[in-house]
Amino acid sequence: MENEETTNNINPGQSQETEATNQDLNFKNRIDFGELQETTEKLKAQLAKVIVGQQDFIELLIVSLLSNGHVLIEGVPGIAKTITAKLFAKTLDTQFNRIQFTPDLMPSDVLGTSVLNMKTSDFEFKKGPIFSNMVLIDEINRAPAKTQAALFEVMEERQVTIDGIRYPMEPPFMVLATQNPIEQEGTYALPEAQLDRFLFKIKVDYPALEDEINILKTHHERKAQKPLEMVEAVLTPSKLKEFKTKTQEVIVEEKILSYIAEIVTKTRTHPHLYLGGSPRASIAVMNASKAFAAINGRDFVTPEDIKKALFPVLRHRIILSPEREMEGMTTENVIEMILQSVEIPR
């Protein structure tokens, strides 16, 4: 009986303590990302009307947009690289331009040129297609080095300087560039300095069998309706600016920063790599990790967010040693090796 009484006396206290602990665990975010999560889901739903599968691709586009970054999309022809980029731009209530890169394209065809006004006898600057909010550059590796170099300033500083006059880009400004990894005839390799200006390099693969069946179904059911007519804008520039500001406020603890720095530093000394990641790569990983946390409703970064960001951020910034490249190793293999060798912060 004594034991029974003792148990009865302890249980209420224990249950109160457990309840208090549960209340402590059910903490609230210091920053409310509910609206951002809702908008992200709406954006994904709009794209899902046309695009089947490719969830990771779409999520990386959203993260890049929130991180104020540009995206390089690589994949073979016919796997919806261009249409996804166009539809993504359509979900934003902003201006959109598409530039088809060709071997004879000149910098003035992209940036614009000064034209003599016969009435005033003055030169007037006519803006090129780069002056837009969302710019899709199709087959970016088909233009020569001179035209590629024209993108350096605008991608990094979001401005164009012509005849000594600076022309700032209207925010938001984002470049979505596509390239084909297989077809090498008539293409020019992008210089490392330009590759480094892309936040992500997204590799788009063939769809799975189930997704391919769904692609056929949606095309059959769509009839004559055009894909661009099916998608509506769900995000305004002012709301996007607000979301970007909130995303920058996501908390990154000291141990998480050390984790990012240790991974990127190891790329510079790894025996399988000829070129490692720069401090810009570390900043890109941190900013992308913040955006991953935000779209998942969290106001703090976890090691999982960093792992998600690492591959698209680093794959185009590091270069394999010639020996490892000949053996068929990929940059993803090396990133995975480095991840395994660095202790995850607790």
Side-chain angles (χ1 to χ4, degrees):
M1 287 292 290
E2 270 183 36
N3 287 343
E4 210 172 293
E5 280 174 23
T6 310
T7 308
N8 287 339
N9 289 336
I10 290 170
N11 278 343
Q14 280 180 335
S15 64
Q16 284 171 10
E17 195 177 319
T18 307
E19 197 176 321
T21 308
N22 287 340
Q23 284 175 354
D24 289 341
L25 288 171
N26 293 332
F27 63 90
K28 286 185 178 179
N29 279 338
R30 286 144 285 195
I31 308 164
D32 181 22
F33 287 111
E35 191 181 2
L36 173 54
Q37 270 189 296
E38 190 182 330
T39 305
T40 301
E41 291 308 313
K42 282 181 183 175
L43 202 151
K44 286 179 179 177
Q46 287 297 321
L47 293 174
K49 291 178 182 177
V50 180
I51 307 299
V52 177
Q54 308 290 19
Q55 286 87 355
D56 292 343
F57 178 18
I58 291 164
E59 187 174 64
L60 286 171
L61 288 177
I62 296 167
V63 166
S64 185
L65 182 68
L66 291 171
S67 307
N68 213 29
H70 310 293
V71 173
L72 179 63
I73 306 159
E74 184 177 273
V76 297
I79 52 173
K81 299 188 303 296
T82 303
I83 190 66
T84 304
K86 285 173 77 173
L87 293 173
F88 178 69
K90 182 84 185 289
T91 60
L92 310 171
D93 190 15
T94 55
Q95 290 184 352
F96 170 74
N97 275 344
R98 179 179 184 270
I99 312 170
Q100 181 69 51
F101 269 26
T102 56
D104 60 348
L105 198 74
M106 297 298 288
S108 57
D109 297 327
V110 177
L111 304 179
T113 187
S114 295
V115 178
L116 180 65
N117 186 326
M118 299 301 287
K119 290 181 181 177
T120 61
S121 298
D122 289 327
F123 280 96
E124 289 181 359
F125 178 61
K126 297 293 181 184
K127 291 180 178 180
I130 198 71
F131 284 87
S132 187
N133 300 117
M134 304 291 288
V135 181
L136 170 62
I137 299 176
D138 219 359
E139 296 189 283
I140 190 169
N141 56 340
R142 287 206 169 276
K146 185 187 282 189
T147 308
Q148 298 292 353
L151 297 171
F152 280 31
E153 182 186 12
V154 71
M155 287 179 69
E156 181 62 25
E157 299 171 42
R158 286 168 165 75
Q159 66 175 37
V160 171
T161 306
I162 305 285
D163 298 331
I165 301 170
R166 186 175 68 90
Y167 299 93
M169 309 303 289
E170 191 72 31
F173 175 69
M174 182 178 180
V175 172
L176 301 153
T178 69
Q179 70 175 18
N180 176 358
I182 305 300
E183 200 174 359
Q184 298 304 322
E185 194 175 335
T187 63
Y188 302 81
L190 301 187
E192 277 68 38
Q194 186 178 2
L195 285 170
D196 203 37
R197 280 160 168 75
F198 286 102
L199 176 74
F200 288 154
K201 180 181 180 181
I202 305 172
K203 286 192 172 180
V204 186
D205 294 322
Y206 287 117
L209 176 61
E210 191 179 333
D211 285 338
E212 187 123 7
I213 293 166
N214 287 330
I215 288 168
L216 292 171
K217 281 181 184 176
T218 54
H219 269 263
H220 175 64
E221 289 162 8
R222 194 188 302 157
K223 308 298 182 191
Q225 193 174 11
K226 293 179 181 177
L228 283 169
E229 295 170 356
M230 298 170 68
V231 174
E232 297 170 4
V234 294
L235 186 57
T236 61
S238 58
K239 187 55 72 175
L240 175 59
K241 187 180 178 182
E242 184 187 317
F243 289 156
K244 281 182 178 180
T245 306
K246 272 190 175 182
T247 301
Q248 287 302 312
E249 292 169 9
V250 169
I251 296 155
V252 190
E253 291 184 3
E254 189 79 32
K255 59 186 179 182
I256 295 291
L257 292 174
S258 300
Y259 184 54
I260 296 169
E262 193 174 347
I263 290 168
V264 176
T265 303
K266 281 204 170 190
T267 65
R268 299 168 198 163
T269 56
H270 201 281
H272 295 343
L273 294 178
Y274 172 71
L275 180 73
S278 66
R280 187 187 277 164
S282 301
I283 294 165
V285 172
M286 181 184 71
N287 288 338
S289 300
K290 285 182 181 181
F292 274 117
I295 64 173
N296 285 296
R298 279 183 284 104
D299 67 349
F300 60 93
V301 171
T302 67
E304 283 305 311
D305 296 321
I306 291 160
K307 286 178 184 178
K308 278 185 184 177
L310 269 178
F311 289 89
V313 165
L314 287 178
R315 62 163 58 108
H316 59 295
R317 288 183 163 93
I318 60 178
I319 299 175
L320 286 170
S321 64
E323 299 83 14
R324 295 295 169 258
E325 198 168 2
M326 285 172 71
E327 289 171 8
M329 189 176 276
T330 64
T331 53
E332 283 88 351
N333 297 146
V334 181
I335 296 166
E336 188 61 50
M337 282 180 189
I338 293 170
L339 262 178
Q340 298 297 329
S341 69
V342 178
E343 188 181 350
I344 300 169
R346 304 292 175 193

